[in-house]
Amino acid sequence: FLEEKIVETENDPLRNFITTLIGLGSKPIQGRIMLIKEAFMFYQEKLRDLQSRPQIGFFPHRYGPFSRDIAIEIKAMTRDGIVRLDEDGGIALTDLGRVAFSRIIGNYPDDLKANLMSYRKGLDELGPDGIMRYVYENFIDYTLNSKVKSRYIKERSAEPQ
């Protein structure tokens, strides 16, 4: 059963993506909203040119870019013992998830591993407000339905003529 879950995680593009994103960090991702924002940034900035990237539907939502695909998959991965939710809301890999991550990342060239780990470390250093501000300033189309947009970006006034 455990081997089956590991192989499923390795072979499913969305599970592979989520496992990699979480596994690259040295600490849990703080909550589902932040997981989706980090996944969005990772997807847009690091995977946009890869032909093998998973197809993930992101759309404008109440807190910026959202993906039902990821929200649903996180629940399934929790149920399957790949990820766990900490008491403080953090999302981390379980021991089983770490085994899957090790296998996945073991297939990456060293320079790509280092680049992705550095990127995830940068996300951790930005923190939730920094990530939200970055997303809101750089991916405006995904903030159209946001309830919190005014917290992260200033409305642009018309230039004087």
Side-chain angles (χ1 to χ4, degrees):
F1 171 77
L2 298 178
E3 181 65 21
E4 179 182 311
K5 291 299 173 193
I6 292 169
V7 170
E8 180 182 338
T9 300
E10 286 179 278
N11 293 333
D12 180 282
L14 182 56
R15 278 186 177 222
N16 184 310
F17 172 75
I18 294 169
T19 300
T20 301
L21 176 63
I22 297 170
L24 286 168
S26 60
K27 57 186 178 181
I29 294 176
Q30 292 306 306
R32 190 176 70 132
I33 290 172
M34 292 316 305
L35 172 69
I36 292 172
K37 298 306 168 276
E38 288 192 30
F40 175 78
M41 289 174 62
F42 199 76
Y43 190 77
Q44 294 293 333
E45 296 191 333
K46 289 296 174 185
L47 302 185
R48 70 174 164 238
D49 299 326
L50 295 180
Q51 292 177 342
S52 61
R53 78 179 185 165
Q55 294 303 305
I56 302 173
F58 287 100
F59 59 92
H61 200 256
R62 293 184 301 229
Y63 301 104
F66 184 76
S67 170
R68 282 193 182 93
D69 301 330
I70 292 174
I72 290 167
E73 195 60 38
I74 281 296
K75 287 180 183 176
M77 291 173 74
T78 302
R79 181 195 65 232
D80 291 344
I82 302 296
V83 300
R84 64 179 162 73
L85 305 177
D86 294 341
E87 295 160 9
D88 64 352
I91 300 171
L93 296 178
T94 62
D95 290 342
L96 187 61
R98 285 244 159 249
V99 171
F101 171 70
S102 292
R103 288 192 189 176
I104 292 165
I105 203 75
N107 293 321
Y108 289 28
D110 288 341
D111 59 331
L112 179 59
K113 275 189 252 190
N115 182 292
L116 296 178
M117 290 175 108
S118 174
Y119 186 78
R120 173 62 205 282
K121 181 179 180 187
L123 293 178
D124 289 344
E125 289 172 358
L126 274 177
D129 281 338
I131 289 171
M132 293 293 278
R133 191 169 291 106
Y134 184 87
V135 168
Y136 277 65
E137 289 175 355
N138 293 285
F139 300 98
I140 303 288
D141 291 347
Y142 288 91
T143 67
L144 299 175
N145 298 330
S146 175
K147 292 182 174 183
V148 296
K149 181 176 8 181
S150 63
R151 241 192 279 175
Y152 298 104
I153 58 174
K154 305 281 185 237
E155 292 297 323
R156 291 177 173 87
S157 57
E159 293 290 320
Q161 304 258 331

